[in-house]
Amino acid sequence: MEVLLARTGGDGGGSLTGVVAVLDTHPADGLPWIGLLLVDARRRGRGLGRAVAEEVHDRLRERGRPAVRLAVLENNAAALAFWGALGYAEIDRRPDRQAGRDCVVMHRPL
């Protein structure tokens, strides 16, 4: 699991504004999965989430990874719209492994 921190300012020393966790290889399908992407609520709507996601895409592409996946809670319309706008498409619906909540599995070619 790789965790990346997004900070304000170009030198990496600014305040924490976001975090993303990426599993490099999911045991079920061999693809990388984004497990979590959080942005400081005070900074939402400024393109930070998109920038963080694109950084993850770039890093995975540089490693030769063909695609990336993630799961979103089925009732999280904002997250589904966010990931859909970034080119992710629904490929499955299933309960999550920990709590059995209904999730939408999304896939994006890189």
Side-chain angles (χ1 to χ4, degrees):
M1 177 78 63
E2 180 178 21
V3 177
L4 303 172
L5 304 177
R7 296 185 177 277
T8 57
D11 63 0
S15 64
L16 183 65
T17 57
V19 62
V20 62
V22 181
L23 178 64
D24 186 59
T25 305
H26 192 285
D29 58 27
L31 291 173
W33 279 61
I34 296 175
L36 173 74
L37 187 147
L38 295 174
V39 172
D40 183 335
R42 297 168 296 182
R43 293 184 167 91
R44 287 190 183 149
R46 299 180 192 174
L48 181 61
R50 175 181 290 275
V52 170
E54 292 299 345
E55 177 67 23
V56 169
H57 298 156
D58 290 345
R59 287 173 180 238
L60 293 172
R61 206 177 288 111
E62 287 171 7
R63 295 178 192 162
R65 305 310 306 264
V68 61
R69 290 185 177 168
L70 53 84
V72 177
L73 291 175
E74 190 175 75
N75 63 357
N76 190 341
L80 290 167
F82 171 79
W83 293 111
L86 290 177
Y88 285 77
E90 178 180 335
I91 61 166
D92 195 11
R93 288 184 182 245
R94 58 184 175 224
D96 72 37
R97 293 182 178 198
Q98 290 184 332
R101 299 168 296 183
D102 293 332
C103 291
V104 175
V105 177
M106 303 182 85
H107 176 94
R108 182 184 190 271
L110 296 172

